[in-house]
């Protein structure tokens, strides 16, 4: 620990924490949604948490860590599920939440520091000029904007705007490099792909410019049907309505909604498959017309609820994306999930086919979104976990059926992503993190350029370091 | 004319005009883009122009005309190209431009009377809360909102929002019926399809509720390339960027842009094929990145122009849609155009194929838009007119190649549209216009339910009435 003492001395007035219990707490994310990651990463912890208050302090931290060869793993709200923020080799956890300044809001654009909470940005933009971010994760109340860009891929809003990687969904990013004299780079356009969804392995994002869109009074709705196929066919029709403004659209197979959405249970029957949609208030009459035309039942509408009833309910987006999984895990810890793609134009067909194939073992959940100018679905089915072997088999069967899996039971960028080297991100890492100190173990291509992604099994980072076993708390939910 | 005298007496203080020269002037629209309609409708004129100032006055006018069996043809700015506003059987022209009140603006919604000029609505919504209409025709400075809904199908904004018929692009309409005691109906949802694009044949739209969207500083751009195919391939890539906010996107084949866009000529070369795009100011860096990546040249960008240079230029949308045609006709009156569909997913292929087939006789023009959740193209190619027979042949060849034509050389709803009876609009007309007095001659299904749309030739309305020959003025252009 001598190097950590040296680091502490070098940090001067920059806030840091070395109490092992507190460091362990802030060395975790929501990796425990996966029983595999839970087993693999259970004892992982950093040695110190550093909480810079400015970009200049980030520069100082990185310079000191570079000099002392101390690994640095950045984190925001710690709401990722792929172990993005877990410091596999220990060292410093760089907690960016002290950098939460929202520095500018104008028509269509917000500038914010990486550690700003997404919901706070939305509140500020709404108050300033009736605007909000185009998209956010279901964890918007805890997640930071930097964490979302570095560790997420899309979310609430993707039905209208596509994914974070889509050109135009991030305007610019400032990034600090991990060098003897860290540089500050300003990235725009395609250069943003160097750091979007790179888990902070190749630079620390300190601030971002993001597009805003009009904030409307979004009406939360639940549409139900007793046929899973029919519900998804309807969701697809809904998704293709270019004039019907939605912010969120997903389908969740029975028995998940009635069983796990406790606060909404009274609006649902046990056999209800459910659409969770957020509809602009001025689109509600069109939405109703479409539901009537297609003989679909609107079981829940937040805009016609008494205020007293509405107040106790979580927002609809906290039923969707990985909050669906979270609600299930809270009531049944044996549940986990997958992340897959049901590709256009066969998305509805694939959703139904996977459901028919796996039945109650893999209850369906499809997030409708725009992808390359068309409607596609991000699959987030629940999985009733039995063994790791069976989980791998479920993954394999999905892929054999043309549903690529972004495996949330792997902690590397490649295995959780496209199962291939991202040459752009690797080249950038070579340039800005020559010692490989940023978030070690997350980019296979860096550790082992010859790794065979088609080999069976998974990559085990040789530098993994465990200091004990820690108890993960499942957060309470509205 | 006795009935017209009786009508005048019945109108009381409602403004009207019977001076034949003034009535003739206000009995025309931009039908003269078509040499066929020009020949057929040249001498058409109403007997009286009535300009009600309120919905109550519309009710009085319709009741009086119903009693006296006088046909009523509604009009707004008269900027339609299908003869929508031409009073084929004479009678009353109902000029709605006195009803121009913008009665309410809130987040996402504007309420306006049918005669409000579209550009005025946009200016009011912008000033009120930084909003604007989702879409408008290229004639926004003269066209009324009622005319657009009753006679148009889409326009600037359709690249983001689809067409006017898409659910959600009109929220509600108030419609006055043509009966002994005219009723006022409020239509929403699918019921709007009764009157959208019905040319006022089955009710008079008096006011509308329409969705608003955020008004941004739209940057006018021209992108050029010397390959028509390559330019369209790029336009398609651009159209599919869900995160790159555009308000307008079309491609125009050489020599049209350099030859006819006089104010923009200095930015272009004679062989340039051109994309006309309106890009949100906060999307410009993404737009530039994409152009650079795809090796496309941005020949013109309004945001980097000196104010003095910018001031003398028309807005980009006045180079697009049927303003492309208008600019060509002003310099070469032998030019006309077609309206066709290049359907997804073969749109780019069809654009190139039609261009290869017809060469200089039919210079290409494709408006990129969203249609049923995907990118499609509305084709508006110019046509160097020779004979009506050849024009019909060009139409036929398009249709044989899978490019349906919405023939702008026909004045009926069906021939200018889907070439089939719209049962919804017909049933509604039976209910609200039992005497068939509204815009007579425009709905074939009303006049002849057994008409064979597959027969060669065209429908000739037997009730057509000509009172002379009038000179059509081609408007001057910025």
């Amino acid at each position: 620990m001598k190097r950590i003492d040296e680091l502490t001395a070098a940090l001067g007035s920059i806030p840091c924490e070395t109490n092992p219990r507190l460091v362990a707490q802030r060395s975790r994310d929501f990796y425990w949604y996966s029983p595999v990651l839970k087993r693999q990463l259970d004892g992982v912890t950093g040695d110190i948490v550093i909480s810079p208050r400015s970009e200049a302090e980030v520069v100082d931290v990185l310079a000191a860590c570079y000099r002392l060869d101390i690994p640095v793993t950045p984190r925001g709200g710690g709401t990722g599920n792929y172990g993005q923020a877990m410091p596999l080799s220990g060292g410093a956890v760089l907690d960016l939440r002290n950098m939460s300044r929202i520095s500018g809001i104008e028509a269509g654009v917000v500038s914010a520091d990486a550690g700003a909470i997404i919901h706070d940005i939305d509140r500020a933009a709404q108050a300033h000029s009736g605007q909000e971010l185009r998209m956010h994760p279901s964890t918007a109340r805890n997640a930071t904007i930097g964490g979302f860009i570095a560790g997420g891929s899309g979310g609430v809003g993707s039905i209208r705007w596509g994914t974070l990687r889509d050109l135009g969904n991030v305007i610019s990013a400032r990034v600090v490099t991990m060098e003897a004299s860290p540089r500050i780079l300003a990235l725009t356009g395609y250069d943003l792909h160097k750091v979007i969804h790179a888990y902070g392995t190749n630079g620390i994002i300190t601030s971002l410019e993001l597009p805003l869109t009009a904030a409307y009074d979004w009406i939360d709705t639940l549409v139900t049907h007793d046929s899973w196929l029919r519900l998804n066919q309807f969701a697809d029709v809904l998704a293709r309505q270019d004039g019907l403004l939605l912010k969120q659209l997903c389908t969740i197979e029975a028995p998940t909604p009635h069983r796990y959405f406790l606060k909404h249970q009274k609006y649902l029957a046990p056999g209800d498959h459910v659409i969770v949609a957020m509809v602009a208030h001025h689109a509600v009459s069109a939405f109703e017309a479409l539901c009537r035309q297609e003989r679909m039942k609107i079981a829940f509408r937040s805009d016609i609820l008494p205020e007293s009833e509405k107040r106790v309910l979580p927002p609809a987006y906290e039923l969707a994306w990985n909050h669906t999984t979270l609600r299930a895990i809270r009531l049944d810890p044996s549940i986990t999930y997958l992340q897959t793609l049901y590709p256009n134009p066969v998305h509805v067909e694939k959703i139904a086919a996977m459901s028919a194939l796996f039945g109650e073992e893999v209850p369906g959940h499809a997030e409708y979104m725009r992808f390359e100018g068309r409607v596609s679905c991000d699959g987030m089915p629940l999985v009733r976990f039995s063994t790791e072997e069976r989980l791998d088999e479920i993954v394999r069967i999905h892929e054999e059926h043309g549903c690529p899996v972004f495996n949330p039971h792997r902690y590397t960028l490649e295995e959780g992503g496209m199962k291939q080297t991202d040459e752009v991100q690797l080249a950038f890492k070579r340039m800005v993190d020559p010692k490989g100190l940023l978030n070690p173990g997350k980019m296979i291509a860096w550790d082992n350029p010859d790794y065979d992604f088609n080999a069976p099994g998974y990559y085990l980072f040789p530098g993994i370091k465990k200091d004990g076993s820690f108890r993960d708390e499942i957060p309470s939910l509205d």
Side-chain angles (χ1 to χ4, degrees), chain A:
Chain A
M1 298 291 280
K2 185 165 164 294
R3 283 185 303 148
I4 298 297
D5 294 339
E6 276 184 58
L7 177 60
T8 313
L11 291 178
S13 68
I14 299 173
C16 60
E17 178 61 65
T18 52
N19 176 321
R21 201 177 51 81
L22 296 175
V23 174
Q25 250 176 29
R26 286 150 84 182
S27 295
R28 2 237 353 101
D29 58 20
F30 288 180
Y31 75 109
W32 46 261
Y33 282 34
S34 162
V36 182
L37 297 189
K38 192 164 168 55
R39 175 180 63 74
Q40 291 179 329
L41 307 184
D42 186 35
V44 161
T45 184
D47 299 300
I48 183 172
V49 176
I50 311 173
S51 304
R53 293 157 300 190
S54 66
E55 188 177 74
E57 290 190 350
V58 172
V59 169
D60 291 346
V61 172
L62 296 194
C65 290
Y66 181 90
R67 184 166 52 80
L68 296 163
D69 288 324
I70 295 174
V72 174
T73 299
R75 68 164 282 149
T79 54
N81 300 104
Y82 287 76
Q84 291 100 318
M86 305 283 287
L88 300 189
S89 300
V93 170
L94 191 70
D95 186 337
L96 289 148
R97 284 176 294 182
N98 273 345
M99 290 173 56
S100 60
R101 199 169 56 112
I102 298 164
S103 51
I105 298 172
E106 58 179 284
V109 188
V110 62
S111 306
D113 285 353
I117 301 292
I118 293 171
H119 191 56
D120 293 343
I121 297 175
D122 272 352
R123 273 195 298 207
Q126 164 77 62
H128 177 276
S129 41
Q131 300 187 89
E132 64 187 17
L133 292 166
R134 287 179 175 179
M135 62 186 90
H136 65 74
S138 67
T139 50
R141 296 205 257 185
N142 298 304
T144 64
I145 191 65
F148 185 41
I149 304 300
S153 58
V156 183
S158 287
I159 183 60
R160 192 81 200 157
W161 296 103
T163 70
L164 286 172
R165 274 184 71 87
D166 285 330
L167 211 54
N169 281 333
V170 179
I171 299 173
S172 72
R174 283 171 69 92
V175 175
V176 180
T177 67
M178 186 58 161
E179 300 175 281
S181 297
R183 289 170 291 161
I184 297 164
L185 307 177
L187 306 181
T188 62
Y190 281 100
D191 285 340
L192 288 161
H193 284 168
K194 294 171 178 169
V195 296
I196 291 177
H197 203 262
Y199 295 1
T201 56
N202 57 10
I204 303 298
I205 298 173
T206 51
S207 68
L208 291 150
E209 254 189 320
L210 294 158
L212 293 173
T213 185
Y216 295 112
D217 188 8
W218 299 104
I219 310 303
D220 289 346
T221 66
L222 301 179
V223 175
T224 57
H225 203 276
D226 58 9
S227 157
W228 177 235
L229 174 62
R230 181 71 195 94
L231 187 84
N232 278 285
Q233 287 167 335
F234 176 68
D236 189 46
V237 167
L238 197 47
R240 286 188 281 108
Q241 301 296 318
D242 299 301
L244 207 164
L245 186 59
L246 302 179
K247 187 169 178 176
Q248 163 64 29
L249 177 63
C250 72
T251 56
I252 306 171
E253 193 176 10
T256 304
H258 181 268
R259 186 174 296 172
Y260 302 125
F261 297 171
L262 298 184
K263 293 271 174 61
H264 290 81
Q265 202 171 51
K266 61 180 161 185
Y267 309 108
L268 303 171
D272 280 346
H273 309 293
V274 170
I275 286 174
V276 180
M278 291 168 67
V279 183
H281 74 101
H282 52 288
V284 166
S285 70
F287 179 75
E288 276 190 290
L290 190 64
C291 289
R292 204 163 36 237
Q293 167 99 348
E294 302 275 331
R295 297 201 174 73
M296 304 300 293
K297 180 182 165 195
I298 304 178
F300 172 82
R301 257 178 70 173
S302 63
D303 59 329
I304 53 173
L305 231 51
E307 196 49 48
S308 58
E309 200 174 330
K310 202 163 134 183
R311 210 174 34 234
V312 300
L313 296 173
Y317 67 78
E318 289 186 358
L319 303 177
W321 294 89
N322 240 349
H323 261 71
T324 310
T325 317
L326 180 53
R327 288 181 191 280
I329 291 177
R330 268 194 74 74
L331 295 176
D332 181 351
S334 76
I335 284 176
T336 185
Y337 78 113
L338 273 192
Q339 187 135 1
T340 179
L341 179 73
Y342 306 119
N344 181 296
V346 291
H347 46 293
V348 170
E349 183 186 310
K350 293 291 178 195
I351 291 166
M354 291 304 99
S355 173
L357 204 57
F358 293 109
E360 294 193 359
E361 188 182 15
V362 185
H365 170 192
E367 291 285 345
Y368 284 72
M369 57 193 301
R370 296 272 166 159
F371 185 67
E372 296 180 350
R374 300 193 296 181
V375 172
S376 238
C377 292
D378 232 4
M380 306 186 81
L382 299 185
V383 176
R384 296 186 191 284
F385 180 70
S386 52
T387 66
E388 294 192 16
E389 291 67 32
R390 175 59 182 161
L391 187 57
D392 286 345
E393 192 172 43
I394 293 171
V395 168
R396 189 173 49 70
I397 294 170
H398 272 81
E399 299 202 317
E400 284 169 3
H401 283 80
C403 304
V405 172
F406 307 103
N407 197 337
H409 309 287
R410 301 289 183 264
Y411 53 77
T412 62
L413 279 164
E414 294 95 335
E415 292 167 303
M418 300 301 289
K419 288 158 213 80
Q420 61 185 34
T421 298
D422 183 325
E423 298 290 353
V424 169
Q425 294 189 346
L426 176 61
F428 191 62
K429 184 170 174 75
R430 289 201 176 110
M431 196 176 95
V432 303
D433 180 24
K435 287 187 175 179
L437 291 168
L438 288 178
N439 209 347
K442 302 291 172 63
M443 189 192 282
I444 298 177
W446 174 265
D447 297 322
N448 180 359
D450 301 322
Y451 186 76
D452 177 8
F453 291 106
N454 295 316
Y458 50 81
Y459 176 73
L460 194 59
F461 176 49
I464 211 158
K465 170 172 167 286
K466 294 195 183 192
D467 282 355
S469 179
F470 305 95
R471 194 167 153 272
D472 297 300
E473 289 274 354
I474 304 184
S476 65
L477 283 168
D478 285 345

